[in-house]
Amino acid sequence: TSDDLRLAAWLNAIEKTKPNDVEGSALMGWAAYSAGEYSEAKRWALLDKASTPLAQWLLGKLALREGDFAGASRIMAAVVPQLPDDSATRYDYGYLPRASAAADLGASLLAQGKLKDSLAAFWSGGCWSDSAYVAEHLLTTDELLAFVKENAMLSDEERSHPLNEDESAASMHWWMKSNLMDLTGRRLIREDRNAEGRALLGPRYRELFDRFREHGAVRRDE
């Protein structure tokens, strides 16, 4: 596209100056990465004078791309806490830096088979689809239940008064907790752990489950 051509021309113009140990060069690295110039992206990242979180994050993404999952997760684990806190910002335009880096961390841990750590990373970044996939398909039921009890419990009172329907981080985390409780409740019920599962369902789903069981009891009564 024309944007890609302009970006390539801009990077080439800067390259001709033969910079060395440049403050802020990580930004050029990210531009190169966006243009698919991965070797150039790595070179710019390594030139970053201050070895900034942006440079380290870029090196982590490149390691992930190259299949160095252990190296990627090591870098990402150090980078995520250094990125700007997303908690006071809105989520309506996609992932923000810390959330996106947390997703990269989750992916690198998942590739190593570190399932519980992967879920924790996706969860911290607000990555619901990734969190739900690991929770539903990869963790054991007891591992999932332990995670929910530690990270995602809401009382009936809290669940009956949802936060405002906005795009804040607080609203997003409320929604994720409620959804993960429902997901875990359904999984427990499928495994005939009905009392445990029912306790995790939200009020609306709990009512539906109770009706389902009542109808089932009638059908079994000749």
Side-chain angles (χ1 to χ4, degrees):
T1 67
S2 58
D3 286 341
D4 290 335
L5 291 173
R6 284 196 295 270
L7 179 57
W10 180 64
L11 288 170
N12 288 334
I14 298 173
E15 174 68 19
K16 289 179 181 179
T17 68
K18 301 195 179 300
N20 185 37
D21 195 26
V22 181
E23 184 173 357
S25 65
L27 295 175
M28 262 71 85
W30 278 97
Y33 185 91
S34 298
E37 301 291 340
Y38 302 114
S39 59
E40 284 299 298
K42 186 172 186 177
R43 196 179 76 81
W44 284 110
L46 292 171
L47 279 174
D48 192 90
K49 187 173 184 179
S51 188
T52 61
L54 278 179
Q56 292 301 303
W57 182 13
L58 179 55
L59 290 172
K61 287 183 76 70
L62 290 166
L64 182 60
R65 180 180 178 80
E66 293 165 3
D68 180 8
F69 304 125
S73 61
R74 185 174 59 252
I75 294 171
M76 295 297 183
V79 165
V80 170
Q82 300 181 60
L83 292 172
D85 188 358
D86 298 340
S87 62
T89 43
R90 295 176 62 82
Y91 278 73
D92 47 354
Y93 296 110
Y95 288 137
L96 296 168
R98 183 178 286 192
S100 186
D104 290 331
L105 174 59
S108 62
L109 291 166
L110 185 59
Q112 298 172 75
K114 298 181 179 181
L115 306 180
K116 290 185 284 187
D117 292 338
S118 173
L119 174 57
F122 287 133
W123 184 262
S124 70
C127 310
W128 168 247
S129 296
D130 301 291
S131 298
Y133 176 80
V134 176
E136 184 80 79
H137 298 289
L138 302 181
L139 291 190
T140 67
T141 302
D142 287 332
E143 287 173 337
L144 173 57
L145 186 58
F147 182 88
V148 170
K149 288 182 176 179
E150 184 175 350
N151 299 279
M153 291 299 292
L154 294 170
S155 67
D156 282 352
E157 176 68 17
E158 290 172 313
R159 296 182 86 178
S160 62
H161 295 88
L163 300 181
N164 294 331
E165 295 290 335
D166 57 27
E167 300 291 340
S168 69
S171 178
M172 181 270 295
H173 283 298
W174 181 95
W175 178 84
M176 285 183 62
K177 287 181 179 181
S178 184
N179 275 14
L180 191 63
M181 288 179 70
D182 285 335
L183 182 154
T184 308
R186 293 194 300 270
R187 182 166 171 180
L188 286 163
I189 289 167
R190 289 199 302 271
E191 297 179 7
D192 292 326
R193 296 167 66 173
N194 291 328
E196 291 176 280
R198 182 184 182 280
L200 290 179
L201 296 177
R204 175 172 172 269
Y205 290 121
R206 193 179 302 163
E207 178 184 351
L208 290 173
F209 176 61
D210 289 342
R211 289 171 58 192
F212 172 78
R213 296 190 72 187
E214 289 171 8
H215 287 303
V218 170
R219 293 290 293 176
R220 288 194 297 270
D221 188 334
E222 293 184 3

